[in-house]
Structures are given as structure tokens and as C-alpha cells.
Amino acid sequence: MQIGIDFTDRHVVVFGGTTGINFGIADAFARQGARVTVASRKRENVDAAVAALGAHGGQVCGVVADVRDFDAVGAAFATAVEKFGPIDVLISGAAGNFLCEAKDMSSNGFKVVVDIDLVGTFHVLRQAHAHLRKPGASVINITAPQSFVPMRYQAHASAAKAGVDQLTRVLALEWGVDGIRLNAISPGPIDGTEGFRKLMAPTPQDREFARDQVPLQRFGTLDDVANLALFLASPYGAYISGALIPCDGGGAFESVKPALEAAGRAQGSSNTR
Ligand code: COA
Ligand code: NAP
């Protein structure tokens, strides 16, 4: 179920927008009439997303770019802006993750997640700045609960997403004078996504247990997150900036425990509680 807020002819760019939660957000804006640009690493994901978004009848642009490559991100924005003009809404949500205890994590394993989640977010925001509508643009970063709740096997993602949170707050200070708002959405367990598959519920019994740990007694949907993004980007969110807003059914952190215990067993660790 999606709220209806008109975004006709607004230019919405979703970095990391070709699958999962971010694609759900891109899809929601496309359904509300926006001209949508999606970008990610893999050509097949970009092509599939463009085809699916185009089915709503609006204008869509797809660009292949790795957020770790500053120049490639800049080129992606140049392509998007040439096609659809200044950016009204920017979503930055590219991320990578895996479960691994810090003592077993290689330097490159830590670095790759920080490079995608944190440095990649900086690249996206930094390259977008010149193209954001001033005043009026809304920027939404996609963070995660482990940015502020410590979580085993998530040293890399926790550190990276904590950085994303602070980047959101600092740039809200710096860019507010230009009429640009920055906020972050922190999704809880969103069913059917890659992040959910990696971090959650390895067996049907675990899944049931995990669902019961969510205060609202269900996993989230793509529309749950997309509705918050639509609201934040709309005039109804006009005085909200520098905010980190959970969309997690009331604090769903306990629900990752079965996955963490399974990961600990797989890695031969007793450090699961
Ligand atoms: N456990 C421990 N280390 C791991 C690992 C795992 N499950 N998966 C990857 N690594 C390590 C690799 O060993 C490598 O380190 P090394 O060079 O010291 O061996 C490092 O991480 C980089 O791995 P690589 O596969 O080369 O990186 P990549 O750039 O191809 O992929 C990932 C990045 C690993 C984050 C990959 O999972 C990815 O692309 N994810 C995107 C989708 C995703 O995770 N979505 C969920 C979002 S929450
Ligand atoms: P996902 O489907 O894997 O989405 C990740 C997206 O980022 C994909 O479009 C991917 O496409 C792109 N991407 C990955 N690495 C990239 C790179 N280096 N450069 C450019 N694009 C890249 O995962 P998801 O679970 O929906 O997660 C989406 C966001 O929500 C992430 O920020 C995640 O941290 C956050 N989140 C998810 C959950 C959850 O329950 N799923 C919970 C909390 C937070 P390519 O592979 O084509 O690059």
C-alpha cells in the first residue's frame, strides 16, 4: 500500500537503486510520475530495473557506475542531468555486507564494505551537490540499525553506517543554507531483500522466531520504506533535515539473533550471545 504524493516531472536519482529496498523506492517515485534515474555496478541489474520502472509509463534513465569510483559517479550524474535536468530528490543506498567476526576479517574485507557504504556515499553526495536543485532538493541516505546498535559480525558495516549517519548530520548543517535537506532512513528487517537474506533467518523456524521478535510482529515491506522516502522528499517533510528515521516495526534488532548464532556456528565461534 503506497501513499499518493505527486512527483510529476521531478527528477529522482537512486544510487544503488536497481534491486531490493532502493529499487522499491525508485519504483514508488516512478509510480508517482517522477523521472527516475537508477545507477549501480552491474549492467544486467540496471537494464532490468529500467525495464521494470518503464512499465509505469514514465521516463527512466539507467547508468552503470560503481560508487567506489569517484569519476564514474560524476559521469553518471552528468548523464542523468543532461537527460532530466537538476536533481530534486537523491537517494544514496548502495551497500555491501557479509557476516564475519572481526578477528577473522581481512583488512580488505573491512575496507571493501567501508569503501562501498561510507566512501561511496560521500562520492555520491559530493558529485551530486553541483546538480541538486537549490533551494528545494531532498537527499535521503539509507543507513542501518547497526550504525548505533552494536552487532556481532558487523564491525565493517556498523562502522561504515555510523559514518553515513554523521555524514548526513554534517551535510545537513553545511547544505541547509542552500535549501537542501538531508535525512537518513534506517530500515529494519525488510522481507525478500538481499540484506535480509544475508543477515536474517536462515531456517523457517528461525524466521518465525525472528518475526516474533519484531514489536509489530511482522517483517517490513518495500512499500513501508518507500512511503517514508516519499513523505521525506515531499513538501510535507519540508522542515525535516538532519534526521535519522528508523522504519523497523518498533526496534527489530533482536530479530537478527538467529542468523548471528548460525553464522557463529558456521565460523566455529562460541561468541554468539
Ligand atoms: N566472509 C569473510 N570475508 C569476506 C566475505 C565473507 N562472507 N565475503 C567477502 N569477503 C572478503 C573477501 O575475502 C575479500 O577480502 P580478501 O581480498 O582479503 O580476500 C573482500 O571481502 C572483498 O571481497 P570481493 O568479493 O572481492 O568484493 P566485491 O567488491 O566483489 O564484493 C561484497 C563486495 C563482498 C560486499 C559483496 O558481498 C557485494 O558485492 N555485495 C553487494 C550486495 C549486498 O551485500 N547487499 C546487501 C546490502 S546490506
Ligand atoms: P541490495 O538489493 O543488495 O541493494 C544494494 C544495491 O546497491 C543494489 O542495487 C546493488 O546493485 C547496489 N550496489 C552494491 N554495491 C555497489 C557499488 N559498489 N556501486 C554501486 N552500486 C552498488 O540490498 P538491500 O538489502 O535492498 O539493501 C539496500 C539498502 O538498505 C542498503 O543500504 C542496506 O544497508 C540497507 N538496509 C537493508 C536492510 C534489509 O533488511 N534488507 C536493513 C537495514 C538496512 P549492483 O549489484 O548492480 O551494484
Side-chain angles (χ1 to χ4, degrees), residues 98-121:
F98 53 84
L99 290 170
C100 186
E101 202 170 348
K103 69 176 172 54
D104 300 323
M105 195 181 290
S106 71
S107 169
N108 193 38
F110 186 87
K111 183 175 181 300
V112 77
V113 170
V114 172
D115 277 348
I116 298 170
D117 293 24
L118 178 55
V119 182
T121 300

Side-chain angles (χ1 to χ4, degrees), residues 21-65:
I21 290 174
N22 308 323
F23 175 77
I25 294 172
D27 192 66
F29 279 104
R31 282 190 270 164
Q32 302 301 330
R35 292 177 293 193
V36 176
T37 298
V38 285
S40 79
R41 285 171 308 177
K42 297 178 187 153
R43 165 61 62 192
E44 66 269 26
N45 286 348
V46 172
D47 289 346
V50 167
L53 295 172
H56 299 305
Q59 293 175 280
V60 185
C61 172
V63 199
V64 176

Side-chain angles (χ1 to χ4, degrees), residues 16 18-22 40-42 45 65-68 93-95 116 142-145 161 187-190 193-196:
T18 58
T19 64
I21 290 174
N22 308 323
S40 79
R41 285 171 308 177
K42 297 178 187 153
N45 286 348
D66 191 315
V67 293
R68 292 169 283 190
I116 298 170
I142 307 300
T143 183
K161 292 291 194 179
I190 307 302
T193 62
E194 182 64 10
F196 184 93

Side-chain angles (χ1 to χ4, degrees), residues 103-172:
K103 69 176 172 54
D104 300 323
M105 195 181 290
S106 71
S107 169
N108 193 38
F110 186 87
K111 183 175 181 300
V112 77
V113 170
V114 172
D115 277 348
I116 298 170
D117 293 24
L118 178 55
V119 182
T121 300
F122 177 75
H123 287 170
V124 169
L125 302 186
R126 173 70 180 78
Q127 290 285 28
H129 181 260
H131 306 294
L132 293 171
R133 194 177 295 283
K134 304 176 192 75
S138 168
V139 178
I140 300 171
N141 292 325
I142 307 300
T143 183
Q146 54 269 47
S147 73
F148 56 93
V149 183
M151 182 170 158
R152 288 186 172 83
Y153 314 125
Q154 286 287 276
H156 47 3
S158 300
K161 292 291 194 179
V164 169
D165 288 1
Q166 281 301 73
L167 203 51
T168 306
R169 292 185 175 108
V170 171
L171 296 198

